[in-house]
Amino acid sequence: MAPGISGEIAGESKLYDYEFSDEIPVISLSGIDDVGRKKEEICGQIVEACEKWGMFQAVDHGVDTNLMVNMTRLARDFFALTTEEKLRFHMSGGEGGFSISSHLQGEAMKDWREVVVYLTYPVSNRDYSHWADKPEGWLKVTAEYSERLMGLAYKVLAVLSEAMGKGTGLAMGLEKDALKNACVDMEQKIFVTYFPKRSKPDLALGMRHTDNGIITLLLQDQFSCLQVTRDNGKTWVRVPFVPGALVINLGDIGHYLSNGRFMTTDHQGVVDSNSSKLFINTFLFLAPHDTVYPLKVRDGEKAKIEEPISYEAITMRKLKDL
């Protein structure tokens, strides 16, 4: 538990059984492109965080702060438009766009939100007719943000690739592009999610889940909006808002490709009665036909997936279990 941090912060009331936690590391990536001890220390911190939590907060990550500020500012400007204006970009045919999402679970209106989805990679698949042209400049900012986060995601995957195999009698880990290359047709999607403030926020929790993809990069705007559990929901810890940070979270595929060495953690979005919440998730997915199989099975371990299976099949199996 971080000193002086409790379940209440300015502008937020304590609604859930959680604590703000310093267990989820905040890691400075300054020096990760260098050669030598500094880089080794940073890589060691990333690997340890992914083994323990499957999640960490990255600062000094090389994504321009002004770009991040503009991305969140323009997103809030979009959600402030009238519903009629937003529905000009209504999501249809799986091509991205704007939608309003919610479902009832007993008394609770679960996962109530507005969302804009951008299909950003491969670049050749972008359909700009589904990209909002209001507010002015958001399209250009989103394209640049997509590029910068793709580069950062590949950098983290390279660290994890090189770590796999080490400590098992091998002098070296895998090639740095092993995880990237295992995803033959990598897809990137950006989900810009807005939770309006709720009079009964305890009835509006996001759905508990793990991410389907290989890695997710989350930008929180002004407030903490995420809580995580490692003990099947007995204890929830809140991921603090750290200015300028990106929350990096491994998904199911990262877990499988590492044969369980790197964790994927259950998490859910949270809202409150005093303020709206905005966060921007950048997901890296496999193409549906890509196959998944552990890249390295350590001595004495069993493969978590006995034979290669398509990403689509894994996704369908997970949906059936919900």
Side-chain angles (χ1 to χ4, degrees):
M1 180 74 168
I5 298 177
S6 69
E8 294 188 32
I9 60 175
E12 297 194 13
S13 55
K14 185 172 181 180
L15 300 166
Y16 318 111
D17 183 17
Y18 67 77
E19 295 178 335
F20 283 98
S21 175
D22 59 0
E23 291 184 71
I24 300 171
V26 178
I27 301 175
S28 170
L29 303 190
S30 177
I32 195 171
D33 295 321
D34 298 340
V35 176
R37 180 175 295 180
K38 180 63 175 176
K39 178 178 180 177
E40 291 177 2
E41 289 175 355
I42 296 168
C43 293
Q45 292 171 16
I46 292 172
V47 170
E48 182 179 2
C50 290
E51 289 177 334
K52 185 176 181 181
W53 278 100
M55 179 182 292
F56 65 94
Q57 298 213 59
V59 295
D60 305 319
H61 40 61
V63 180
D64 185 71
T65 301
N66 288 330
L67 177 63
M68 297 165 64
V69 169
N70 286 336
M71 189 68 182
T72 55
R73 175 181 58 81
L74 292 167
R76 284 192 173 272
D77 288 348
F78 173 83
F79 289 113
L81 297 173
T82 66
T83 301
E84 182 180 9
E85 288 179 296
K86 289 182 285 190
L87 286 174
R88 288 178 52 226
F89 309 98
H90 187 260
M91 190 183 304
S92 62
E95 297 298 327
F98 170 74
S99 69
I100 298 174
S101 171
S102 67
H103 72 274
L104 286 171
Q105 183 174 317
E107 184 186 357
M109 180 69 76
K110 300 288 285 185
D111 204 28
W112 197 97
R113 58 184 176 164
E114 296 182 16
V115 63
V116 175
V117 178
Y118 290 101
L119 310 186
T120 44
Y121 263 85
V123 173
S124 59
N125 289 349
R126 292 180 181 177
D127 182 351
Y128 291 106
S129 68
H130 290 270
W131 290 38
D133 58 11
K134 288 186 177 181
E136 184 178 353
W138 197 23
L139 189 152
K140 181 179 179 181
V141 167
T142 300
E144 183 179 355
Y145 184 79
S146 165
E147 297 283 344
R148 297 293 179 266
L149 265 68
M150 200 70 170
L152 177 58
Y154 282 160
K155 191 171 296 187
V156 174
L157 293 178
V159 170
L160 299 180
S161 293
E162 292 184 316
M164 290 171 62
K166 290 184 178 180
T168 61
L170 297 179
M172 299 289 290
L174 301 178
E175 293 292 330
K176 69 177 183 178
D177 289 333
L179 284 167
K180 174 183 173 183
N181 292 339
C183 309
V184 179
D185 296 309
M186 187 85 78
E187 296 182 352
Q188 184 198 63
K189 298 180 182 180
I190 298 177
F191 282 64
V192 184
T193 305
Y194 175 73
F195 286 93
K197 62 182 180 180
R198 303 280 293 178
S199 60
K200 294 184 177 181
D202 54 321
L203 300 181
L205 283 170
M207 289 185 65
R208 171 180 165 181
H209 66 285
T210 57
D211 291 342
N212 290 337
I214 183 169
I215 192 170
T216 304
L217 297 89
L218 166 67
L219 173 58
Q220 301 190 105
D221 177 43
Q222 302 179 34
F223 300 101
S224 166
C225 61
L226 186 71
Q227 59 182 11
V228 301
T229 182
R230 289 193 305 171
D231 56 9
N232 200 31
K234 294 178 182 177
T235 305
W236 288 92
V237 296
R238 193 81 167 259
V239 180
F241 168 68
V242 176
L246 289 162
V247 182
I248 297 181
N249 174 45
L250 290 186
D252 298 336
I253 302 306
H255 178 69
Y256 288 136
L257 291 175
S258 68
N259 203 44
R261 176 176 177 180
F262 303 128
M263 298 291 293
T264 182
T265 304
D266 280 359
H267 56 277
Q268 60 189 15
V270 290
V271 298
D272 64 57
S273 59
N274 297 313
S275 62
S276 60
K277 295 286 181 71
L278 178 111
F279 56 87
I280 301 173
N281 271 313
T282 302
F283 297 98
L284 268 64
F285 296 106
L286 278 66
H289 58 269
D290 280 348
T291 56
V292 179
Y293 189 74
L295 298 181
K296 176 63 185 176
V297 180
R298 293 189 284 188
D299 293 342
E301 290 184 343
K302 284 187 175 182
K304 286 189 171 292
I305 300 176
E306 294 183 356
E307 58 185 30
I309 184 172
S310 72
Y311 174 58
E312 183 177 36
I314 289 177
T315 302
M316 294 303 296
R317 182 184 299 174
K318 182 175 181 179
L319 288 173
K320 289 179 182 178
D321 291 339
L322 288 178

